[in-house]
Amino acid sequence: MTNLFLSIITAVTKVTKANFVTKTRQVEAVQEEFLLSLLKAYQNTEFAKKYKLQEIKNVEQFRNLIPILAYSSYEPFVERITKGENNILTPDPVVHLNRSSGSTGKQKLIPVTKRSRQILNRINQVATGFSAEAIHKRGNSMGEMLMTTSTLISGRTSSGIPYGTSSSGVLHLNLFTKCIYKQLFAQPPEALEVLDPVSRNYICLLFALQNPNLKIIGATFPVLALQLANDLELYSQELIHNLKNGELAPWLKIKPELRHTIEKQFFPNSKRATQLQEILRSEGKLTPLLAWQNLAVVATARGGTSDFYFEKFPAYFGDTPIFGGIYASSEATFGACYDLNTDGAILAIDSGFFEFIPQEEWDAEQPKTLLATEVKAGGYYRILVTNYNGLYRYDIGDVVEVVGFYEQAPIIVFRHRVGGLLSATSEKTSEFHVIQAVKKIQEEFNSPLENFCVTLSENEFPPRYLLNVELPSGSSIPSPEEFLAKFDSALQQLNVSYEEKRQHEVLPSPSLRILASGSFSTVRQRLLDKGIPESHLKFPHISEDRQLLAGLAIEREVKLSGKH
């Protein structure tokens, strides 16, 4: 049955990909058609009435009449949706709300409808078609996939609409999706409803280890793939024992009813257990590449901060190619990757209407934009999107680089968020988050700082946050551990994703490093020496550059004790 589904899906994605490639040869027409079709379908919504969308007849009118909007402009409309009002941002019923922490620390809720989900499914098929073709060229094939992303719904609004991460809505939309899922994924869908990430990884690994011919490992971000590999190595002996006996480890944090449902689907496999035990005995460890020697691809996000984690991949995955899948967020889908081991994604020209703000316009209140056919290779742009989620000229804050073109369609790579982001896993802490947290604890402790920068530790994964501070000459922090605990607490209040990962111990507790006097003056001079004009130099308060503070003297390092 699995092979039949694979054959059908491969055939479908091949056709979808071919149709998409045809569209890349006529980008201007495809973009215009997408926009005008959307405006016609959505012209009677409350948002459309406010901005008079029904009067817009072409692309230029749209760009001239509709302002560039951030989430704050949509928030009053979303609040009405959460209370059960219909036809607000979308004419179709809202079946899910994607939750995103947002750059200001306040969660964003993005409407999802069956129509918007269908469009996401289509661009997923395009990416799958490209990956299947690339894998085939390497003499391998598609097959069963292991992915441990949680599908647990975070909650429901007062009117009953479920909300959570974008992945949490996928399997809850229809029975057909679940049926396909069961044929293609190594673990049962119930395994992804386990809240505790270590337990969820363990259960998913247990099911996946039954199949020596697993082909794909998927992870939203590279650090999560490394965490999965680390769990495989850490629990290898116990996993093999469970596999042999057909039982789940008693220590797993899982609700009794859910445990019972999962246990009914797990059976002993002594032959496979013996095979894995021999690998463990001869190699002294169990890695993904040793467990699944025909692994075809690791599918995970590329661009941004991924390269740092990719440096650690060979130890676990050897030279297994990496495929970026789709470039997407809670708000929109921006592109489909088209080859293995490449960061570029082809702009998703039939999934949204896109505009690009060039660097020279970033400080303007209502900047001039470029269309997809007007951008240049090598240029950096803020990207805007209009889509079936009910967003118009939406500024997500992503900065992308155009690295080339696929036919006429731009190939884009996510570089960073406006102002930068810090992610040890996928929590997306912004500079705003840490500035507000530090401001709060400075006021509470009456301990002004000369300067500070939050970085990530080098030799751990997930890495821990390092709060690097320089104190004014002659001053001190009376209770450094309490100071650090308050920073951690403040950051959790500001960033819901950071809070979730700290509460579930995905993210280790932060450390406080008190640097010697003059440290940040040294860093500032380093940046100037790199050629950054003094008038343009804005000292970063967050940085994923592990070398930014290299060589600075650390007078004291403080970690949280067990009581925190």
Side-chain angles (χ1 to χ4, degrees), residues 222 226 300-303 306-314 322 343:
L226 290 173
T300 191
R302 299 188 64 97
S306 296
D307 286 349
F308 174 79
Y309 299 108
F310 287 155
E311 293 177 2
K312 304 177 186 294
F313 266 44
I322 302 168
D343 291 343

Side-chain angles (χ1 to χ4, degrees), residues 400-414:
V400 301
E401 180 186 3
V402 175
V403 296
F405 294 86
Y406 189 99
E407 299 291 352
Q408 298 175 6
I411 299 172
I412 58 175
V413 177
F414 168 73

Side-chain angles (χ1 to χ4, degrees), residues 145-149 181 185-187 192 204 216-220 228 299:
M145 180 178 186
L146 164 63
M147 191 166 186
T148 67
T149 305
Y181 175 96
F185 285 79
Q187 69 284 339
L192 302 185
C204 291
I216 304 170
I217 291 179
T220 310
L228 184 69

Side-chain angles (χ1 to χ4, degrees), residues 109-169:
L109 295 174
I110 309 300
V112 176
T113 67
K114 289 184 177 180
R115 178 159 27 183
S116 70
R117 178 61 66 185
Q118 287 170 355
I119 291 172
L120 174 61
N121 288 342
R122 185 172 64 204
I123 198 65
N124 267 318
Q125 289 176 16
V126 171
T128 302
F130 276 114
S131 65
E133 181 181 80
I135 289 169
H136 180 73
K137 287 180 180 178
R138 285 176 170 254
N140 214 325
S141 61
M142 301 288 281
E144 199 171 62
M145 180 178 186
L146 164 63
M147 191 166 186
T148 67
T149 305
S150 172
T151 60
L152 197 64
I153 290 174
S154 298
R156 292 181 180 272
T157 68
S158 59
S159 62
I161 302 173
Y163 63 85
T165 62
S166 53
S167 60
S168 69

